[in-house]
Amino acid sequence: MWLIILFQVVVPLALLFVIAFVPQPSRSLWVLMAIAFGMVLAFMWVSGRWDIVSMHFRTVLPILYLAALVVGWRRFQPPDQPAGKLKLAFGTLISVGLGILMSGFLWHSFSGYFVPENALDLASPLRGDRYVVLHGGASPFINGHFHVRPQNHALDILGQNAWGGRAGLLADAHELESYVIYGAPLFSPCDGRVSAAVDRFEDQNPPLTDTENLAGNHVLIECHGIEVLLAHMKKGSVRVAVGDMVTTQTQLGEVGNTGNTSEPHLHMHAERDGEPGVILDGKAVPITINGEFLVRSDIISG
């Protein structure tokens, strides 16, 4: 965790400092460097784990970049002696190469923002406080489930506290109660029938995982011919049974930390054409929440 915090705070601030204050041999080279560094920052903005650092820092990062551009442009002064051709060529090659590399990363990241065809629209299963998307979207750069069938369009959702993190910065990362979302009530995301309900696995203290019972305690709901899975629920919280009819006002249980998960969160995905009541055996179905296709770092107000 601390390595992520270090990387996503120190690296952006270092790049911003270079743009604003480090002299460059020519204005054209400064422009190329500022563009290349801006693309690095944009990729971090799109794909980074800001729930660990702070969602608030992600919000101000573009503003800091614009401020660094203004300061760097105004501070620029031509050097007393022209820079050598080799130095200019090397700096140009590095900036252009970095820009080309990052343009590919950004294209693959932002391509995941487009809503796939035939998406199933669901209601938010969460109420109350604000929540943040950890995995979501149609690209592996922003959704770790994208290449895992039938979870290709799955959502992983975390809580968010006042400082913009999914847990207290100084909280014990091994304690379940440190995580904002732990114990949050879960409601059915659609009107339908419960086709599976499991509530027998113990909650695990992070970072312990259960790689045999992947979904842990979970509820599977059949709606509109599609099964929607809500996984990693808290033991003893599941309130429904197989065959129950539910609506979007029905509380299913609470968010926990059971199954193949390293910390409390809600895993949610939809699939079709599998055996009824069986998870992870169908074809992935894209989902939207209240008409919105959610991607990494999107905020959900329940």
Side-chain angles (χ1 to χ4, degrees):
M1 182 185 77
W2 289 106
L3 184 61
I4 293 177
I5 294 175
L6 180 67
F7 179 74
Q8 289 190 206
V9 174
V10 174
V11 171
L13 292 179
L15 296 179
L16 294 169
F17 180 84
V18 172
I19 293 172
F21 299 109
V22 176
Q24 298 299 319
S26 72
R27 189 178 290 275
S28 60
L29 186 57
W30 177 87
V31 170
L32 288 175
M33 176 206 66
I35 293 173
F37 284 4
M39 296 174 78
V40 173
L41 294 171
F43 179 70
M44 296 180 70
W45 185 86
V46 171
S47 62
R49 283 292 307 271
W50 299 104
D51 58 280
I52 293 178
V53 177
S54 173
M55 293 298 297
H56 303 322
F57 186 62
R58 180 181 188 265
T59 300
V60 302
L61 186 58
I63 301 173
L64 295 177
Y65 174 65
L66 293 176
L69 290 178
V70 172
V71 172
W73 180 269
R74 290 183 174 180
R75 284 178 53 87
F76 180 82
Q77 294 181 351
D80 296 332
Q81 295 182 347
K85 293 183 178 179
L86 183 61
K87 184 177 182 180
L88 288 173
F90 181 75
T92 301
L93 180 64
I94 294 297
S95 295
V96 172
L98 180 60
I100 293 173
L101 176 66
M102 297 312 302
S103 66
F105 287 169
L106 285 172
W107 184 87
H108 282 290
S109 297
F110 281 114
S111 66
Y113 279 56
F114 295 101
V115 184
E117 295 182 353
N118 303 317
L120 172 67
D121 191 40
L122 301 170
S124 173
L126 296 159
R127 304 286 192 271
D129 295 335
R130 286 154 59 93
Y131 301 90
V132 60
V133 176
L134 168 58
H135 292 293
S139 165
F141 283 79
I142 55 177
N143 192 341
H145 298 292
F146 186 68
H147 289 315
V148 183
R149 297 181 179 178
Q151 305 178 53
N152 309 77
H153 301 291
L155 290 174
D156 281 354
I157 301 174
L158 306 170
Q160 180 180 275
N161 58 19
W163 67 274
R166 92 280 194 241
L169 185 61
L170 301 179
D172 187 346
H174 302 292
E175 293 292 332
L176 294 170
E177 289 75 13
S178 297
Y179 298 86
V180 177
I181 201 171
Y182 184 70
L186 286 176
F187 294 83
S188 175
C190 60
D191 297 343
R193 185 184 68 87
V194 176
S195 54
V198 176
D199 189 10
R200 65 176 182 272
F201 301 111
E202 296 290 340
D203 286 85
Q204 306 152 127
N205 289 326
L208 297 177
T209 63
D210 182 353
T211 56
E212 293 184 3
N213 305 290
L214 300 181
N217 300 324
H218 63 273
V219 173
L220 193 64
I221 302 170
E222 189 279 322
C223 57
H224 310 296
I226 297 172
E227 289 189 312
V228 180
L229 173 69
L230 291 88
H232 311 315
M233 296 171 67
K234 184 178 181 180
K235 185 181 181 183
S237 73
V238 176
R239 299 187 177 192
V240 293
V242 174
D244 287 355
M245 303 301 296
V246 296
T247 72
T248 55
Q249 302 304 313
T250 304
Q251 183 173 344
L252 304 176
E254 299 174 4
V255 176
N257 193 48
T258 57
N260 189 27
T261 169
S262 59
E263 66 178 68
H265 73 281
L266 169 63
H267 173 96
M268 181 178 175
H269 75 253
E271 54 185 277
R272 72 189 323 156
D273 299 334
E275 183 178 347
V278 178
I279 64 172
L280 305 175
D281 70 337
K283 298 178 182 178
V285 176
I287 58 177
T288 57
I289 302 295
N290 295 331
E292 182 179 2
F293 185 63
L294 298 173
V295 300
R296 174 170 292 176
S297 297
D298 274 348
I299 301 298
I300 308 171
S301 295

